[in-house]
Amino acid sequence: MDARETNALALAYLGDAVYELEVRKYLLNQGLTKVKELHQTAIKLVKATTQANAIHRMLPQLNEEEVGIVKRGRNAKSGTTPKHTEVIDYRYATAFESLIGFWYMNGNMTRIAWAFDIARAVVEEREATALT
């Protein structure tokens, strides 16, 4: 299957699962073991606003093909309406997940790790700002 020809929502479907696995591995590697704590921390990393902010930070460093995947993901019509986030954040979160799926299909785990690091930085900065 050619990742460039795959439907953006199918890429997002795959990317969602891959990203969730990265989040879970990270949390376990941090020594978290209580399910409630794992869940609450995971939510911060997977929420649409985090993913949308991450993709905005990543855009200047993406190549032309990757930007194309982001645009396809952002413009894809999912048929669902977000309940707890703005539509624009939801669309950019779909773009983020599409890109993760694209990289996964191409075996580019380095880029996936880079995207995860950016998303983690978004959460850490948000929490640091909330403390001040």
Side-chain angles (χ1 to χ4, degrees), residues 22-33 37-38 41 45 116-117 120 124:
E22 289 300 307
V23 168
R24 290 176 183 217
K25 287 188 321 187
Y26 168 76
L27 296 177
L28 291 176
N29 285 332
Q30 295 301 303
L32 301 177
T33 57
E37 187 179 29
L38 287 164
T41 308
L45 288 161
F116 179 76
D117 288 343
R120 201 175 74 236
E124 289 170 358

Side-chain angles (χ1 to χ4, degrees), residues 3-131:
R4 287 169 288 195
E5 301 298 322
T6 302
N7 176 292
L9 292 177
L11 288 175
Y13 176 77
L14 176 61
D16 177 59
V18 170
Y19 183 69
E20 178 76 27
L21 182 59
E22 289 300 307
V23 168
R24 290 176 183 217
K25 287 188 321 187
Y26 168 76
L27 296 177
L28 291 176
N29 285 332
Q30 295 301 303
L32 301 177
T33 57
K34 295 179 181 174
V35 175
K36 183 177 180 180
E37 187 179 29
L38 287 164
H39 179 70
Q40 289 173 338
T41 308
I43 286 172
K44 296 174 189 175
L45 288 161
V46 300
K47 65 194 296 184
T49 53
T50 298
Q51 293 178 355
N53 286 327
I55 199 71
H56 286 298
R57 289 184 187 193
M58 294 162 52
L59 273 170
Q61 299 175 58
L62 299 178
N63 65 38
E64 186 176 323
E65 182 177 43
E66 293 166 336
V67 170
I69 297 297
V70 168
K71 288 179 180 178
R72 285 178 40 213
R74 180 197 64 205
N75 295 333
K77 305 290 187 244
S78 69
T80 61
T81 304
K83 294 179 183 160
H84 302 291
T85 190
E86 298 292 323
V87 171
I88 192 70
D89 286 340
Y90 182 77
R91 289 188 177 232
Y92 275 104
T94 302
F96 177 87
E97 291 173 347
S98 295
L99 191 56
I100 298 291
F102 174 77
W103 285 332
Y104 184 80
M105 287 183 73
N106 287 313
N108 199 337
M109 298 307 288
T110 302
R111 289 296 256 181
I112 293 170
W114 171 68
F116 179 76
D117 288 343
I118 291 173
R120 201 175 74 236
V122 166
V123 170
E124 289 170 358
E125 290 168 16
R126 185 181 305 131
E127 290 179 345
T129 303
L131 294 174

